[in-house]
Amino acid sequence: MTEEATHRKVDSHREAVAPRRMTRLDRTEALRLLGTVSLGRVVFTHEALPAVRPVNHLIDKGEVIVQLHDGAALTSIVAPTDTEGVVVAYEADAIDPVTHLGWSVVVTGYAHRVTDDRDLERYAVTLRPWVQHHAMNAALRIRPELVTGLRLTAEPAPAAATPDGLSDHS
């Protein structure tokens, strides 16, 4: 583990950070956790360069739904409905800034514009954009092909030794 990973700076002082364990999440748990937060980041190609935008999302039938508005860079990536779609990545997390414990999920899949009017109406009521825009009139559906997730947990404390030299957990 590097020096940076085991210490953090607080008010110009270095402070030890407790050791952490990283475990992989299965697809079901990763998508469940993704559904517990509403803000994430969509990664896409814009003008031939990688771009990242923070957006609100919801999970609907195992797919990530993101609301769009006219003029947004994201509207330019949406493929016609008769194609396979455009590959994007979506990341969301809940990591405590002090303890550095929590989880992170990345979904990679094909993005399509939502065209069903009933779905659009339902998403407009459910999704709460963090910035109001007068033209929130579209949505993006990301069908997860690859789902990866990690959970960061504290390492268990070492077992304390007793006077006889045995640990408390022996």
Side-chain angles (χ1 to χ4, degrees), residues 6 9 24 41 90 100-101 128:
T6 59
K9 243 183 179 178
R24 293 194 187 280
R41 291 153 280 302
Y90 192 81
H100 301 175
L101 303 177
R128 293 287 173 230

Side-chain angles (χ1 to χ4, degrees), residues 10-168:
V10 177
D11 297 329
S12 76
H13 294 90
R14 292 178 65 79
E15 193 175 288
V17 173
R20 291 174 301 284
R21 175 181 298 166
M22 184 171 59
T23 55
R24 293 194 187 280
L25 300 171
D26 66 27
R27 179 185 181 98
T28 301
E29 178 66 358
L31 288 174
R32 184 194 71 75
L33 287 169
L34 191 60
T36 67
V37 297
S38 62
L39 181 67
R41 291 153 280 302
V42 64
V43 181
F44 60 102
T45 303
H46 182 65
E47 297 180 5
L49 295 171
V52 180
R53 295 290 187 279
V55 293
N56 287 69
H57 74 272
L58 62 83
I59 304 297
D60 185 39
K61 299 174 189 160
E63 296 177 321
V64 179
I65 308 298
V66 176
Q67 198 168 31
L68 303 175
H69 62 82
D70 288 338
L74 281 171
T75 58
S76 67
I77 70 159
V78 181
T81 54
D82 60 342
T83 65
E84 190 171 17
V86 176
V87 175
V88 299
Y90 192 81
E91 189 275 341
D93 55 58
I95 298 176
D96 184 278
V98 175
T99 64
H100 301 175
L101 303 177
W103 57 267
S104 175
V105 171
V106 177
V107 169
T108 305
Y110 293 98
H112 292 277
R113 188 177 197 109
V114 174
T115 57
D116 183 274
D117 289 335
R118 286 178 300 197
D119 284 344
L120 286 169
E121 287 175 23
R122 189 165 44 96
Y123 299 150
V125 170
T126 310
L127 278 167
R128 293 287 173 230
W130 52 314
V131 175
Q132 287 299 329
H133 195 281
H134 68 283
M136 287 289 188
N137 57 1
L140 179 71
R141 179 185 315 274
I142 303 169
R143 186 181 70 237
E145 296 293 327
L146 176 63
V147 178
T148 58
L150 300 170
R151 184 183 304 275
L152 297 168
T153 56
E155 282 283 349
T162 60
D164 62 2
L166 300 173
S167 71
D168 286 340

